[in-house]
Amino acid sequence: MRGHWSLDDRLERILREVPFEVPAGTAAVSVRLSYDRSQGVIDLGCGAPGGFRGWSGGARDSYTITHDWATPGYLPGEPEAGTWHVWLRLHRIPPQGLDYELEITTSAVAPAEPVAEEPPHGERPPRRDIPSVDGLRWFAGDFHAHTLHSDGTLTIAELAELAHGRGLDFLAVTDHNTVSHHPWLTRIDRDITLIPGQEVTTDRGHANVFGDVGWVDFRQPADSWVEHAERAGGLISINHPLGGDCAWLLPIDRRPRIAEVWSSGWWDRRWGAPLAWADAWRHDVIAIGGSDFHRDGSDGQPGAPTTWVLAEDTSTVLDGVRAGRTAVSTGPDGPLLLRLGDELLALDADGLVLVRPDGTRQVVRGERALLRAIEGRHRLETYENEVIALCE
């Protein structure tokens, strides 16, 4: 089928659902979208009679769904008979409009599944010497990364190996608007805990939902994302709230407490806007960091920045975040300030400036310094663009 999308179409309704019929006995459904990518962007997804079947956004122009396997970003399973829909989100449409063509194929025989090679397993760098607190340990991780299940270039195994090699203990895999990667996370053994996540993605804001909570419908209002996460026992964070054309612009009544205050796009940390946003968002914000890794040479590497979570083990990292036991550093080996009971431990942080709630400041001297903590919230400012962090 062929058609044309105009700017009026986009303004009227940005997400379009093109229906097609799948007959009984179908073993595979394949869809191919064609348009001039130099002129615009049309996101691609799929819905079936039973609900969500996948999303790839603007990263792919085709997908296949069979009983046993599906294109990354899409859910395998029986191609049930009935009315399916190709989801097309009119992300960027030029003033003159955009022609498109959809080719939809149903077949009685499923094609063979593509086979990906497993990367070799390497060594992990030594862990930092950080004291435990009341039986809890500080674990290093990253709460924002992508694979080829959305617009990343690495397989889950390749991403896990990269994060493991950079010294991370955990990594949240947060592909855009899909959960097709979730079943694979427990099958990957790379000596790193992989946390299921979904980056709920719209053109007016992104949010990460953490935990095995099922698919979160990006077509619904942002408050419903919060309710979904809470109902299913997960967590939700606002992503890169000042991130250019990905900045948070959505209306929301129930502001999540967790926010990606430090993203890889915050390359000059003398720029204080992220901290100003955090202060205005909620007085009790829980700060986390995310590299938003997609591919080498784009965004940050996994763990840049690194979020540290105080927890029993890596299986309880989300409980540590929920309790507000977080800190953020430039990387696994970067300058770091952690709370240890009634004291603050500064690691590799000579020259840090601690800003107290009353506005007074104290310079941290020495590469490993213990400071008496003052009741209330602390904020770190940068010194020569080296480090910034929030601590409860």
Side-chain angles (χ1 to χ4, degrees):
M1 63 184 69
R2 297 179 176 87
H4 178 88
W5 297 118
S6 67
L7 273 178
D8 286 338
D9 293 327
R10 188 188 189 280
L11 292 173
E12 178 187 12
R13 191 169 70 253
I14 191 171
L15 183 68
R16 302 299 178 126
E17 301 184 9
V18 180
F20 66 96
E21 294 300 318
V22 172
T26 295
V29 173
S30 296
V31 171
R32 179 173 297 277
L33 170 66
S34 302
Y35 64 95
D36 186 349
R37 284 181 169 268
S38 69
Q39 297 297 310
V41 178
I42 300 177
D43 293 337
L44 184 63
C46 184
F52 172 78
R53 289 304 292 263
W55 181 261
S56 52
R60 298 184 186 276
D61 57 13
S62 65
Y63 57 80
T64 295
I65 297 174
T66 76
H67 180 277
D68 297 321
W69 69 273
T71 300
Y74 294 81
L75 305 183
E78 192 70 35
E80 66 265 42
T83 302
W84 288 48
H85 292 87
V86 178
W87 291 354
L88 300 176
R89 186 169 66 179
L90 312 182
H91 185 55
R92 291 177 183 166
I93 303 297
Q96 70 273 21
L98 194 59
D99 295 329
Y100 74 95
E101 179 176 304
L102 274 175
E103 180 182 346
I104 303 168
T105 305
T106 61
S107 54
V109 178
E113 179 179 4
V115 179
E117 294 185 5
E118 289 290 310
H121 187 41
E123 295 294 324
R124 183 194 190 282
R127 287 179 169 84
R128 295 178 76 166
D129 179 21
I130 302 176
S132 60
V133 182
D134 298 328
L136 303 178
R137 292 175 51 199
W138 287 100
F139 294 97
D142 190 338
F143 279 105
H144 196 164
H146 299 274
T147 72
L148 49 70
H149 282 259
S150 59
D151 55 350
T153 59
L154 301 185
T155 65
I156 297 172
E158 290 170 336
L159 176 64
E161 184 61 31
L162 176 61
H164 167 264
R166 286 180 53 79
L168 299 187
D169 301 304
F170 67 88
L171 176 71
V173 184
T174 54
D175 281 307
H176 295 282
N177 290 340
T178 190
V179 293
S180 63
H181 54 294
H182 286 193
W184 296 94
L185 300 182
T186 56
R187 307 177 196 177
I188 304 298
D189 184 10
R190 298 282 163 166
D191 296 329
I192 183 172
T193 296
L194 300 179
I195 296 174
Q198 174 189 338
E199 185 168 18
V200 190
T201 305
T202 75
D203 63 341
R204 291 181 58 79
H206 300 190
N208 273 341
V209 175
F210 304 112
D212 192 9
V213 300
W215 180 65
V216 181
D217 194 341
F218 66 92
R219 301 170 298 176
Q220 300 302 315
D223 279 291
S224 73
W225 310 346
V226 178
E227 294 166 3
H228 182 124
E230 291 180 350
R231 185 172 61 250
L235 298 177
I236 183 170
S237 75
I238 303 300
N239 288 354
H240 40 63
L242 301 177
D245 64 351
C246 297
W248 184 263
L249 299 172
L250 288 169
I252 188 169
D253 292 327
R254 300 180 59 194
R255 295 185 174 186
R257 188 182 175 196
I258 304 167
E260 188 184 87
V261 177
W262 188 346
S263 69
S264 58
W266 193 13
W267 63 272
D268 186 346
R269 285 170 293 280
R270 292 167 297 185
W271 181 52
L275 288 181
W277 180 91
D279 285 339
W281 181 253
R282 284 185 60 147
H283 75 280
D284 59 349
V285 68
I286 298 174
I288 62 174
S291 66
D292 199 6
F293 176 82
H294 288 77
R295 59 189 63 83
D296 284 332
S298 173
D299 307 308
Q301 289 287 300
T306 294
T307 302
W308 297 83
V309 180
L310 188 63
E312 294 181 2
D313 51 50
T314 53
S315 69
T316 61
V317 160
L318 293 184
D319 292 332
V321 174
R322 186 179 283 108
R325 300 192 298 264
T326 68
V328 190
S329 68
T330 54
D333 297 317
L336 178 63
L337 185 88
L338 300 170
R339 183 153 189 168
L340 303 177
D342 292 331
E343 293 178 315
L344 297 174
L345 173 63
L347 297 177
D348 301 312
D350 192 17
L352 246 64
V353 179
L354 177 65
V355 182
R356 297 185 177 86
D358 62 3
T360 60
R361 304 184 179 196
Q362 177 179 349
V363 178
V364 179
R365 302 292 187 188
E367 294 184 352
R368 187 182 180 99
L370 281 173
L371 308 171
R372 292 300 300 175
I374 300 175
E375 290 302 320
R377 187 163 173 262
H378 294 73
R379 185 177 76 198
L380 285 178
E381 289 187 352
T382 56
Y383 180 76
E384 296 183 348
N385 195 30
E386 284 301 317
V387 67
I388 195 85
L390 297 176
C391 293
E392 287 295 328

